[in-house]
Amino acid sequence: MSNPRSPSKDFIREIIDEDLATGKHDGTVTRFPPEPNGYLHIGHAKSICLNFGIAREYEGRCHLRFDDTNPAKEDTEYVDSIKEDIQWLGFDWGDHLYFASDYFEKLFEWAVHLIENGKAYVDDQSSEEMRAGRGDLQNPGTESPFRDRSLQENLDLFNRMKAGEFKDGEKVLRAKIDMAHPNLNMRDPVIYRIVHTEHHRTGDTWCIYPMYDFTHGQSDALEYVTHSLCTLEFENHRPLYEWFLDNLPVPSRPRQIEFSRLNLNYTVMSKRKLLQLVEEKHVSGWDDPRMPTISGIRRRGYPAESIRNFCKTIGITKFKSTNDISLLESSVREVLNADAPRFMAVLKPLKIVITNYPEDQVEEFDAVINPEKPELGTRKVPFSRELYIEQDDFMEDAPKKFFRLAPDKEVRFRCAYFIRCNEVIKDEAGNITELHCTYDPETRGGENPPDGRKVKATIHWVSAAHALKAEVRLYDRLFNTENPDSVEGSFLDHMNPDSLEILADARLEPNLAAVPVGETVQFERLGYFCVDTDSTQEAPVFNRTVGLRDSWAKTQQKG
RNA sequence: AACUCCAUGGUGUAACGGUAGCACAACAGAUUUUGGUUCUGUUUGUCAAGGUUCGAAUCCUUGUGGAGUUGCCA
């Protein structure tokens, strides 16, 4: 019972629906075409979710094709990381792994085809001369003095280019289109250049390499891609994409459709800037948990599902928008709230002594693993005379709205007892060193006492003797300006100096020892945290994935 | 003042000539053994001006604003 026009399909899916309805295509083939010259970031995730998502929905297929036409920049290291990232996101190209370099032979033939049809020529001009001859946005270009070489001479020269007789930059092959075309891409674009550099797959077989424009559409056609989805900046290339399909004996007719790339506030997304952050050591690497790379996001503890949901939420349009990072974080919290097991952890410990609790006694309390999933049951948490609580959960001079522990005030220790603070112990300098408290045995398990007494807060705690010591890394946005891309001066001047805070003395509930690397859990009342790759059994390291929504912090800020 | 594209609350995104809806954010309240979650409510919008039409966010015209493009990068 499918609605002929189910609500809120994006414009690309509407085009596909129509192509299927009119019989233009009887199946749908998309492709994700990264250049293996860097790590994937969340912007790529949008494209991956679109292309692989469409293939899944339409029961078609999505090819993974590496656009490896520039040997100077590319490396197999990146091929591997890109594959890993796509799989982590939950997508699969099946048998359809391709490389543009697989088509070098065919593309060469097609270049010869153009020459033979008088539609391409070898140009001896330098790149400076070519630039001068191209004209500009207001003025038409001028034709190259080599534009009207004979067919034979062009063929001969092109073959000698291939044979390695010329140095880099000495000659190029150009399509012969129109030097006065209003679209600069159509002013006799270069389609082959000489590059004497080893290619990561073809080695030194070639010393001439096709340009992106001469590769992409033809590769799509060779793979019978029906819809070639790319970002807006290729809009001006579409006429050229189509010109090659029109002028070459290609086996199919793909259609290029452009959509808007993903932008997030408070972050940079360009490969160049990301690379700079890594190379100048502003971050620890491509997988630094503050990076918008897929590997960074993964290490940070964002679930793949939340990235997929986020991409669904932001939609596909041609409007150049900037999304709120809070929307991403909300997707992350939504998934984690449902899935993450709860534990207690104290980030900044303050010692508590329960003076009326027997010295050697230890009790184990049952604590719910996840209130969203009661079927998961409970875990045991040890309680004893000496405990740690969060420094932020105690105030000596508490304002009225502060519900947590304060002198002569009572709170619930989660799943344990009502605890009253009786005495604040300080050192000579006046710093609070510990709190002396008493517990109410009638509130075992955290139950309300028979006298009907209520408390306004429940706080988390960890038994001092049983606690695991750990390092916890708190992350914040890398930039403190909304749009670090369009800022006067360098984007680096707007980095957030507090984007990483390391807490070396956190104390964890002992159950946390069993959490494997990469898994994200909730530290109750604090946020979601995952075990970092740096973590060892002896020295656990947790990353804060994202904090919980904190309405107390807001109240505090308002004063 | 070239060519191409874009314009809906604070941020995104729907509405395909017929009630401007949803999410995030913000604010208020209820629930709560997480100041979490959940629930309820509130605030805020069709870039402008004309035209077509019974009726326009939607179609037409003009204007305004923004983006991309002058690589032998992709």
Side-chain angles (χ1 to χ4, degrees), chain A residues 350-353 386 423-426 431-436:
Chain A
L350 171 60
K351 193 173 180 186
I352 303 279
V353 180
E386 296 194 354
E423 195 182 348
V424 181
I425 312 296
K426 296 180 181 177
N431 302 310
I432 299 171
T433 53
E434 60 180 63
L435 266 24
H436 287 184

Side-chain angles (χ1 to χ4, degrees), chain A residues 244-313:
Chain A
F244 290 127
L245 297 180
D246 285 339
N247 287 283
L248 258 13
V250 291
S252 78
R253 183 73 192 207
R255 172 175 173 187
Q256 174 179 308
I257 304 170
E258 310 86 13
F259 63 94
S260 158
R261 65 160 66 233
L262 171 67
N263 295 296
L264 285 176
N265 55 12
Y266 298 103
T267 108
V268 296
M269 210 73 92
S270 86
K271 222 171 253 183
R272 199 201 98 231
K273 288 175 180 159
L274 261 17
L275 179 69
Q276 197 176 348
L277 289 173
V278 173
E279 286 189 334
E280 297 178 7
K281 308 244 190 271
H282 298 107
V283 296
S284 65
W286 286 100
D287 67 344
D288 187 297
R290 293 166 292 180
M291 291 283 273
T293 50
I294 305 293
S295 50
I297 280 169
R298 178 169 57 228
R299 185 169 172 189
R300 175 84 170 251
Y302 285 16
E305 183 187 357
S306 69
I307 305 301
R308 280 183 253 122
N309 292 348
F310 171 71
C311 289
K312 208 170 292 172
T313 309

